Amino acid sequence: MKAAKRFTGDCLKILREEIAAAGGNEVLALARLNDEGLVARVRVRARGTDREVLALITDDEGSPDVFIHNHPSGFLTPSDNDLAIAGRAAEEGIGAFIVDNQVEEVYVVAEPVRRRTARVLDPDELCASLREGGRIAKRLEVFEPRESQLEMMRMVIRGFNEDEVVLCEAGTGVGKSFAYLLPALRFALDNDERIVISTATITLQQQLFDKDIPLVQAALGQGGEKIKAVLMKGRGNYLCRRRMDDALKELSLDGEEADELTRIAAWAETSASGSRSDLSFSPREGIWSRVSSEAELCMGMRCPWREWCFVLSLRREAADARILVVNHHLLFADLAARRRGAGYDNTVVLPPYTRMILDEAHSIEGAATSFFSEEFSRLSILRQLGRLYRRRQGRRMGLLLRIPGLDREEEKLDRIVESIDGIRGLAGELDQAALGLCGSEGVFRLSPAREDAARTLFPSLEALRKSLAHLGNLIRDPLEKIPGEGREEPFVWEIGAILRRLENIGAVCNAFVEYRERPDRVMWLERRGRGGQDAWAGFTVTPIEVATDLKESLFEPARTVICCSATLTIAGNFGYWELRCGLNRMEDRPPLRGIFPSPFPYGSRVLLAVPRDAPSPEEPAYQEFVNRMVTDLVLVSGGSALVLFTSYRSLRDTYNAAAPVLSGEGIRCLKQGDDDRGRLLGDFLKDTGSVLFATDSFWEGVDAPGDTLRLVILARLPFRTPNDPVFEARREYLERGGGNAFMDLSLPEAVMKFKQGFGRLMRRSSDHGVVAVLDNRLLKKRYGEFFLRSLPETRTSFGESGGMLTDAERFLF
């Protein structure tokens, strides 16, 4: 090919001069292309001999579009080395050209991937969609122009146009979903790029996918343009047809189990998604876990049900989608695999992407902590062993009996059964010892100061680890003797997955025993279940900090990350959240930050009430005061109340004291723990004359507009309890580094949660009610200012408790 077809005249001249200056020897040049695809700028990077030159194909100006070298012989056919180097460069999108010394001819070894110039978003055009008469505004039943929403959208647009990390604290009612969806969908449409939108809850996922995204799609698609969006949940939410078929063939099911499986199978015949949320009933966890999809059980191309696989079908849909709606846990599963070596250009859990939106971003540290933790319990061990082998009504059952010939080798099978029985016994003994250590507090953290108390655990943990390893060896022996194609049978995959899980449990046991060698982890026990004979202990290994993981896997590789939530700042400062997520370590890429206040009229619609005469939470009289004030406040409001606690013990005491009085007045009393969270919340939302007593998870994610909720009571400031093992370890970690654990961790975390609790009341601009905080440290301690300055301006009642009740009644009625 004539070089003039691929080079500008100036570049031809420069290359000829450089080759001549090198005495006709080989030179290597790096080049950039112009908009027409011609080599328009070259710079010589290396000079060599008449037979070779160093392949330096990058420099401080970054990756070139093309690297070029000459063959002094005039023969332009690439050598093996030329092809190898060009192949590696092509993986990065870099082209490779060979020219003669006169630069008359060119041989294109590899075409460059043309750099695409991103089409920037027009902020004025997009903001017009959310003004009176705009494309979005016209589609909303009720539209209120919100300047804070438009300001947030302008910052999100900058994040896409300028490849930035953006932090947006958007108060309730700002309309943050539209503020990021409009720019995201427009950018994806204009630039053919994939954008991942991640949320903390399936509820928000569904709202975005079912309601908000279709509305924005319709507005943007007026000219016939369409953009595809796909909702993706964790793999365990989907049915595996192969496992379903396998479970139905097992003859060990009792009546209820068989009935549930039959109902799931019938549903699967007509289900388009295979998603558990589409079932008309809620199967027991043990049943669903036997038929749900799991990565380590997937047979991939070997699966006989591959053509009808729900997960594979979903991945095909996601492959050509430009908007993926996921949850934080699924996002971290993908990012962790990429960081471990899967790379950022391939499909892993999700298809490749470089731009993300994290809604409910205040929760990503907790989500990452949960994802990177490892745990086991007696129940999880028994569940795995039961899948391998169990007896029921005199019959032997389990996957092991499917291994060809094992049921006829009584001695070998007896040894395996003996090992399984031994592990069951060890798990029970370990569980009892762990429950004893948990004591009345319900938790125990393994640390040098408490090592003496925990010494009784170590021999049991080591014995369990060794027994699990021994069982694995016993089972692998007959598995490895299965001939050829027999090893592809589904039961073999199931057994292999169970053995890997048992190995992981052994690794957690080992981490507990060798805890001193893992200073970056905290090992802790927790009592679970309803107590008494139903209680069991969980053994958990948790990372002390996840900031490095978040920085290196989430923020650094991405081109755009939009983080938004109603609670990202403390008294107007993002510092705490940035510290916990590793953004404070990115000095060369500081984020864009914006606080967008709620447009709701808090000053006239909300009364913040705090009794000055409340006893200190440390005083014995405090619980009795809470019991009385909760009863009196709910009687004043006539129900429509949410009472939030920081401990279940305090919740129970107050409920027991208040419920008889309130029920006698016709106020329905609901208590967390009495029913499934979803059903409990549903009952509360349907009954405006009810009161819900709740803790921890109900401090956020409760959306109860109108008369359903007119009173929110925060029993005390939500400081984490001192005995929380992960929190305790993080406090110590901070103090070892010279930090102030209270100011750097305890206080800001409590303020964040306080803001979430306060935010339960005002969900619509017309809402009206009282937030009562029964902890006078808000007024009497200097740090109370951090809490107060983090709230919008409201009406206040900061007097004696009697006057506060009067003020609340007057305000409500």
Side-chain angles (χ1 to χ4, degrees):
M1 181 189 295
K2 292 298 181 182
K5 293 185 176 180
R6 305 302 296 260
F7 292 79
T8 64
D10 288 343
C11 284
L12 289 174
K13 180 181 177 184
I14 292 170
L15 272 178
R16 288 168 185 153
E17 291 173 350
E18 289 286 355
I19 292 170
N25 290 318
E26 288 197 29
V27 301
L28 183 136
L30 307 183
R32 293 276 186 168
L33 306 182
N34 63 15
D35 292 342
E36 287 75 42
L38 299 179
V39 172
R41 185 160 64 93
V42 293
R43 58 190 187 279
V44 171
R45 184 78 170 90
R47 300 169 180 83
T49 68
D50 61 347
R51 302 187 66 176
E52 59 186 3
V53 66
L54 294 174
L56 306 178
I57 59 174
T58 59
D59 63 10
D60 55 6
E61 292 187 31
S63 297
D65 295 323
V66 181
F67 79 91
I68 305 162
H69 76 290
N70 59 307
H71 278 187
S73 66
F75 296 101
L76 304 189
T77 303
S79 67
D80 289 344
N81 280 341
D82 289 337
L83 290 173
I85 294 167
R88 290 195 295 271
E91 292 178 359
E92 304 297 324
I94 302 171
F97 293 180
I98 301 174
V99 297
D100 59 2
N101 277 15
Q102 291 73 41
V103 200
E104 297 289 345
E105 301 287 333
V106 60
Y107 188 100
V108 177
V109 182
E111 291 283 1
V113 175
R114 294 286 298 275
R115 293 176 187 266
R116 292 171 50 197
T117 303
R119 290 179 59 185
V120 299
L121 300 173
D122 182 338
D124 293 333
E125 176 194 344
L126 289 176
C127 285
S129 298
L130 283 171
R131 295 190 188 278
E132 195 74 47
R135 288 189 290 181
I136 297 293
K138 287 191 295 187
R139 283 174 164 77
L140 295 172
E141 291 182 15
V142 178
F143 174 75
E144 299 175 11
R146 304 166 185 176
E147 283 304 315
S148 52
Q149 183 183 52
L150 298 178
E151 290 171 10
M152 175 180 165
M153 186 158 66
R154 288 182 181 277
M155 181 166 283
V156 171
I157 289 169
R158 283 188 62 191
F160 282 108
N161 286 345
E162 301 171 21
D163 294 349
E164 297 285 4
V165 175
V166 178
L167 310 184
C168 297
E169 181 174 82
T172 305
V174 165
K176 62 178 170 30
S177 297
F178 288 135
Y180 65 67
L181 283 176
L182 263 168
L185 269 67
R186 181 82 257 177
F187 191 90
L189 190 63
D190 289 349
N191 295 285
D192 193 30
E193 284 199 44
R194 182 177 292 109
I195 297 171
V196 171
I197 301 173
S198 182
T199 76
T201 61
I202 289 179
T203 301
L204 181 54
Q205 268 188 285
Q206 293 288 167
Q207 178 190 317
L208 291 172
F209 187 74
D210 295 337
K211 182 181 175 184
D212 296 344
I213 289 176
L215 193 150
V216 175
Q217 285 174 318
L220 294 179
Q222 286 181 327
E225 302 163 297
K226 292 184 179 179
I227 184 165
K228 183 176 180 180
V230 169
L231 172 67
M232 298 185 75
K233 303 171 188 174
R235 190 167 190 144
N237 287 281
Y238 299 95
L239 180 76
C240 172
R241 290 187 185 273
R242 195 266 304 163
R243 297 191 75 205
M244 179 81 249
D245 182 63
D246 199 45
L248 288 171
K249 291 175 181 175
E250 191 169 331
L251 300 178
S252 61
L253 304 172
D254 62 28
E256 285 188 30
E257 289 176 332
D259 179 61
E260 282 196 22
L261 283 173
T262 301
R263 292 176 68 188
I264 294 172
W267 161 79
E269 292 301 313
T270 57
S271 175
S273 69
S275 173
R276 182 180 184 177
S277 63
D278 293 344
L279 277 165
S280 60
F281 68 100
S282 182
R284 285 176 291 178
E285 192 59 42
I287 294 294
W288 182 256
S289 67
R290 289 181 64 176
V291 297
S292 60
S293 179
E294 296 186 30
E296 59 185 349
L297 294 176
C298 181
M299 297 180 68
M301 297 294 291
R302 305 177 186 85
C303 181
W305 291 89
R306 183 174 182 273
E307 188 177 343
W308 302 277
C309 176
F310 289 118
V311 170
L312 190 57
S313 175
L314 178 67
R315 288 190 167 182
R316 289 195 194 105
E317 288 293 306
D320 63 352
R322 286 298 169 261
I323 299 294
L324 298 181
V325 183
V326 306
N327 58 46
H328 294 341
H329 191 85
L330 187 64
L331 177 67
F332 288 132
D334 181 78
L335 293 174
R338 294 182 187 281
R339 188 181 174 204
R340 286 195 298 265
Y344 289 83
D345 299 321
N346 307 307
T347 293
V348 187
V349 178
L350 305 175
Y353 54 92
T354 60
R355 302 185 193 273
M356 286 170 277
I357 296 170
L358 305 180
D359 203 339
E360 302 174 312
H362 64 276
S363 64
I364 65 169
E365 183 193 13
T369 298
S370 174
F371 177 80
F372 291 110
S373 293
E374 302 167 278
E375 68 173 30
F376 77 88
S377 69
R378 172 178 57 87
L379 295 187
S380 66
I381 294 174
L382 296 182
R383 189 177 300 120
Q384 300 305 321
L385 296 179
R387 292 288 292 129
L388 291 174
Y389 180 88
R390 62 196 181 280
R391 286 182 177 274
R392 182 176 293 174
Q393 297 176 346
R395 294 173 54 203
R396 298 189 304 184
M397 308 168 187
L399 292 166
L400 293 180
L401 300 179
R402 299 191 192 183
I403 299 176
L406 185 59
D407 58 338
R408 296 190 298 273
E409 296 187 52
E410 291 294 334
E411 185 177 341
K412 187 173 292 186
L413 182 58
D414 286 346
R415 286 203 303 271
I416 294 175
V417 172
E418 183 181 350
S419 178
I420 288 174
D421 289 341
I423 291 170
R424 286 185 174 126
L426 283 172
E429 293 170 11
L430 183 62
D431 189 60
Q432 288 302 307
L435 287 172
L437 287 174
C438 290
S440 60
E441 292 184 338
V443 292
F444 179 86
R445 176 191 163 207
L446 184 56
S447 66
R450 300 171 182 142
E451 187 173 313
D452 287 344
R455 283 191 186 281
T456 55
L457 283 183
F458 294 157
S460 297
L461 286 163
E462 183 62 20
L464 179 59
R465 183 191 67 79
K466 289 180 177 179
S467 295
L468 291 170
H470 177 62
L471 175 63
N473 292 332
L474 287 176
I475 294 174
R476 284 193 184 89
D477 180 53
L479 276 184
E480 291 170 357
K481 292 177 181 177
I482 297 175
E485 293 183 0
R487 296 187 183 181
E488 300 301 327
E489 288 290 327
F491 78 86
V492 177
W493 287 69
E494 293 269 353
I495 292 173
I498 290 170
L499 294 183
R500 288 190 292 275
R501 288 171 187 159
L502 295 176
E503 284 177 1
N504 290 338
I505 290 173
V508 174
C509 291
N510 193 57
F512 268 81
V513 173
E514 298 180 353
Y515 80 98
R516 285 179 177 268
E517 298 175 23
R518 305 284 298 276
D520 60 334
R521 294 288 189 272
V522 52
M523 289 67 173
W524 54 286
L525 312 173
E526 180 183 37
R527 184 174 58 248
R528 300 173 183 173
R530 292 183 176 275
Q533 296 298 312
D534 294 328
W536 72 90
F539 292 72
T540 307
V541 178
T542 297
I544 289 179
E545 65 98 20
V546 292
T548 301
D549 292 311
L550 290 172
K551 169 179 170 284
E552 295 180 359
S553 62
L554 174 63
F555 294 111
E556 285 186 338
R559 297 179 68 180
T560 298
V561 185
I562 311 294
C563 302
C564 56
S565 168
T567 50
L568 291 181
T569 68
I570 308 298
N573 190 303
F574 287 93
Y576 168 72
W577 190 83
E578 291 182 33
L579 174 73
R580 302 307 305 170
C581 295
L583 276 172
N584 65 312
R585 307 177 191 180
M586 294 177 60
E587 295 89 352
D588 57 337
R589 194 188 182 191
L592 302 177
R593 306 174 183 90
I595 298 175
F596 308 98
S598 170
F600 290 169
Y602 284 90
S604 61
R605 307 290 294 178
V606 176
L607 174 71
L608 177 65
V610 186
R612 284 187 177 276
D613 58 342
S616 166
E618 287 74 35
E619 293 179 33
Y622 177 72
Q623 184 61 50
E624 185 179 339
F625 175 82
V626 170
N627 297 349
R628 175 170 55 83
M629 285 300 295
V630 166
T631 305
D632 291 345
L633 281 164
V634 177
L635 286 172
V636 163
S637 69
S640 303
L642 174 65
V643 190
L644 295 171
F645 298 85
T646 58
S647 77
Y648 193 78
R649 178 185 296 174
S650 179
L651 181 157
R652 188 175 58 245
D653 287 349
T654 301
Y655 178 86
N656 290 338
V661 179
L662 299 176
S663 298
E665 296 297 321
I667 297 172
R668 184 183 181 191
C669 297
L670 303 168
K671 175 165 64 72
Q672 183 177 351
D674 286 351
D675 203 345
D676 168 80
R677 185 185 191 275
R679 284 191 292 270
L680 196 64
L681 190 54
D683 289 344
F684 174 64
L685 295 175
K686 285 183 288 188
D687 188 349
T688 57
S690 65
V691 54
L692 174 58
F693 295 77
T695 184
D696 203 37
S697 65
F698 284 83
W699 282 71
E700 56 183 283
V702 176
D703 190 7
D707 289 340
T708 302
L709 183 58
R710 292 181 296 127
L711 171 65
V712 173
I713 302 174
L714 309 182
R716 67 189 291 170
L717 297 178
F719 287 105
R720 194 81 73 95
T721 56
N723 66 345
D724 182 294
V726 178
F727 190 71
E728 181 185 53
R730 286 176 172 170
R731 284 174 58 96
E732 293 172 3
Y733 177 80
L734 271 171
E735 288 168 351
R736 285 197 300 270
N740 182 317
F742 180 76
M743 295 301 295
D744 296 341
L745 182 63
S746 299
L747 179 60
E749 184 184 81
V751 172
M752 287 280 209
K753 192 159 188 173
F754 179 76
K755 289 172 69 176
Q756 285 287 339
F758 176 89
R760 294 315 91 212
L761 179 69
M762 194 81 167
R763 309 306 297 172
R764 303 290 185 273
S765 61
S766 58
D767 287 350
H768 169 251
V770 175
V771 177
V773 184
L774 307 183
D775 188 336
N776 66 13
R777 290 178 296 178
L778 193 63
L779 305 176
K780 294 188 174 181
K781 296 290 186 180
R782 290 180 62 185
Y783 58 71
E785 279 297 309
F786 284 93
F787 291 90
L788 294 172
R789 283 165 47 204
S790 296
L791 299 179
E793 190 171 327
T794 68
R795 297 268 297 277
T796 60
S797 173
F798 292 164
E800 303 294 308
S801 53
M804 189 190 88
L805 286 168
T806 302
D807 290 344
E809 185 171 18
R810 287 174 178 166
F811 189 80
L812 288 171
F813 302 105

